[in-house]
Amino acid sequence: MAGYFFWHDYAQGTVTLSISDPPQLQNGNNPHYDSSILHIYITFTEIDVHQAGFGTTNSTGWYALVRSPTTVDMISVLNNPRTLASTNLATGTYDQLRFPVSTAIVTFSSTGNVTYTIPSSSIKVSITGGGFQSSPGAKVNLHLTISFSNSEILAMNGNLTPHASAQVVG
């Protein structure tokens, strides 16, 4: 029995998930927001990681990294990534993140809070480079970036489309 407990406790790797709004998007758009935008609060219901080799349409192969609703002010993570979770994962390759967004509220200096809808009920993002390998004792830093279109926010049409990516960082 002792061998089982030893193997079970140490046969996992650790993944740490952080989030930021990138200071510069790859396509050259500047995600730094209009000065009238004071806060962009996004509430994630949870954030899950997917183990490669399992279908992505059902619950099989998905493991919770963030298990309870978490609100992030995306303005606060423009230049300072925030750690959301650190958890153990079984040995395997992990290739996607999914995160249902329950609310998106933007605070404007002139009008106060405006509620937006995120079009998809659950956003899925492939982890660049084919994902990462979890193995006994391994430590992986996974970084999620999310940004929004300044013009879409200012249009106040009720919808926000997140631009998201996930990658392993040193």
Side-chain angles (χ1 to χ4, degrees):
M1 204 62 155
Y4 167 77
F5 287 114
F6 176 81
W7 175 252
H8 182 265
D9 290 343
Y10 295 99
Q12 299 180 336
T14 302
V15 62
T16 300
L17 177 67
S18 62
I19 188 170
S20 71
D21 188 331
Q24 184 73 29
L25 290 177
Q26 292 177 350
N27 63 7
N29 289 336
N30 188 346
H32 287 284
Y33 304 106
D34 187 87
S35 61
S36 68
I37 300 169
L38 302 178
H39 304 281
I40 303 171
Y41 295 108
I42 304 299
T43 301
F44 302 97
T45 307
E46 64 186 54
I47 300 178
D48 302 322
V49 66
H50 180 258
Q51 189 171 10
F54 292 91
T56 59
T57 57
N58 58 30
S59 61
T60 305
W62 290 99
Y63 300 93
L65 296 177
V66 176
R67 292 174 173 81
S68 59
T70 301
T71 300
V72 176
D73 178 2
M74 298 308 295
I75 298 294
S76 74
V77 295
L78 280 172
N79 297 307
N80 299 315
R82 175 179 158 191
T83 299
L84 295 178
S86 185
T87 191
N88 292 333
L89 290 175
T91 297
T93 300
Y94 295 84
D95 60 355
Q96 291 183 45
L97 287 178
R98 75 173 176 194
F99 41 96
V101 176
S102 62
T103 59
I105 298 172
V106 178
T107 305
F108 292 92
S109 57
S110 57
T111 57
N113 291 343
V114 176
T115 301
Y116 289 81
T117 301
I118 304 289
S120 174
S121 61
S122 184
I123 300 159
K124 291 181 184 171
V125 174
S126 293
I127 300 168
T128 58
F132 66 90
Q133 179 71 33
S134 177
S135 57
K139 295 184 186 311
V140 174
N141 293 312
L142 185 59
H143 188 75
L144 173 63
T145 60
I146 300 176
S147 63
F148 298 94
S149 164
N150 192 49
S151 59
E152 187 177 38
I153 293 171
L154 295 174
M156 291 192 199
N157 68 1
N159 291 315
L160 280 184
T161 305
H163 304 279
S165 67
Q167 65 182 10
V168 174
V169 294

